[in-house]
Amino acid sequence: MPWVQNSLILAVYKYKIALKKLEETASEIKIQELNEPFLNAYDVTLSVLREDLFHPLTGGNKWRKLKYNLLEAKKQGYIQLLTFGGAYSNHLVATAVSGKAAGFKMNGIVRGEEIFPLNRSLQIAADHGMQLHYVSRELYRNYRDNSTHHQLQQQFGDCYILPEGGSNILAVKGCAEIIKDIKKDFDIICVAVGTGATLAGITYALHDNQRALGICVLKNGSQVKTDIKNWHAELKITNSNWELIEDYHFGGYAKSNAELKKFVEDFSIVHKIRIEPIYTGKLFFGIYDLIKKNFFRRGARILAVHTGGLQYLQ
């Protein structure tokens, strides 16, 4: 029907306009060099790409992952999104905020029992119109498996299904744009790694003389490595200019201890850059420790990507 096609074209156009405004802001994201006495002692520089600044709720890597997915959903004519996450999921928040702006209906499958009052992350998602559905950990594992997506379509109706963390090949292409506007030259780009899509995207966009380093925030990074290699194969990337460090997960995803919490608190005060213990805290803790262990060559110019995820600290 012509009016349906015209409506779809208009929806895609409006969303592209909204994306253009975000991208104009992102292109102005500043790079902040850290001033630490020990950096001079090891003859390295450490700067921070402040991806966290351009939006209070979707700042960082989450909207990068969503950008091409939401465009694809619009292109295919979907009016409803379905995705997955834990109780403190940055992805659920970003999907809810971005999905509302793009005019989608949204369903979020949440791992675990419903607990009132809602934590800040889930409350933000609900306030932006996401319908939350709580399931057991076992059922959650089944639901996020691609082979069960037809069951979800039957249960929730025709919907565009975003994987956990929003991580797929479209997300990788979006994350490749994180470093496209960087004017300064860096030797190594560091990022916190959960699903691996951000690291895969950054690796895709690196220059020949650059390397990427991922600090894994969860136990057992073997699956993450496999996923990165699969995405690279799909994009026909054959280089090996990246490395995943698995020594700084502090017991697993969202796990921490007193040492990490103290580091996060001190870092945030000293540098006036807010970080948290789930992703960015582990990233900077790992970078600091690796510098002190002479992991980086002398003279190295290091850039750490701040991937956001701060909404639950508000």
Side-chain angles (χ1 to χ4, degrees), residues 85-87 109-115 133-138 140:
I109 295 178
V110 185
R111 181 181 63 247
E113 296 180 356
E114 184 175 20
I115 299 176
H133 309 272
Y134 299 86
V135 299
S136 68
R137 291 179 179 273
E138 181 180 1
Y140 182 87

Side-chain angles (χ1 to χ4, degrees), residues 145-265:
D145 189 317
N146 290 341
S147 65
T148 64
H149 284 184
H150 66 283
Q151 298 176 15
L152 292 170
Q153 296 281 7
Q154 292 177 343
Q155 181 177 350
F156 293 97
D158 197 26
C159 52
Y160 185 88
I161 298 179
L162 285 160
E164 186 178 35
S167 296
N168 56 17
I169 196 66
L170 292 175
V172 171
K173 290 180 178 179
C175 288
E177 298 178 354
I178 287 175
I179 60 174
K180 72 172 185 178
D181 294 316
I182 295 176
K183 302 300 189 292
K184 295 179 67 175
D185 194 18
F186 292 94
D187 302 303
I188 188 161
I189 317 293
C190 302
V191 65
V193 173
T195 62
T198 305
L199 178 59
I202 288 174
T203 304
Y204 180 46
L206 291 180
H207 298 299
D208 291 340
N209 63 330
Q210 295 176 319
R211 289 183 58 80
L213 180 70
I215 302 295
C216 196
V217 304
L218 43 80
K219 276 185 177 179
N220 188 8
S222 59
Q223 183 59 53
V224 175
K225 289 180 181 178
T226 298
D227 290 340
I228 291 173
K229 290 176 181 177
N230 288 339
W231 285 321
H232 283 177
E234 192 169 348
L235 292 168
K236 296 181 172 54
I237 301 174
T238 57
N239 56 40
S240 57
N241 58 352
W242 61 280
E243 184 175 355
L244 186 66
I245 303 293
E246 301 179 54
D247 299 331
Y248 302 102
H249 55 68
F250 286 85
Y253 181 74
K255 302 290 185 181
S256 64
N257 61 17
E259 183 182 19
L260 177 60
K261 291 176 181 177
K262 181 67 164 55
F263 174 85
V264 167
E265 180 181 354

Side-chain angles (χ1 to χ4, degrees), residues 261-281:
K261 291 176 181 177
K262 181 67 164 55
F263 174 85
V264 167
E265 180 181 354
D266 291 346
F267 183 98
S268 299
I269 293 172
V270 170
H271 299 295
K272 305 296 188 294
I273 300 175
R274 299 178 72 221
I275 60 175
E276 39 68 47
I278 299 176
Y279 287 97
T280 48

Side-chain angles (χ1 to χ4, degrees), residues 19 33 55 88 91 94 105 109 130 132 154 177 245 285:
L19 280 175
E33 185 170 340
H55 193 284
Y88 293 91
H91 169 66
K105 297 179 180 179
I109 295 178
M130 178 174 280
L132 302 175
Q154 292 177 343
E177 298 178 354
I245 303 293
F285 186 100

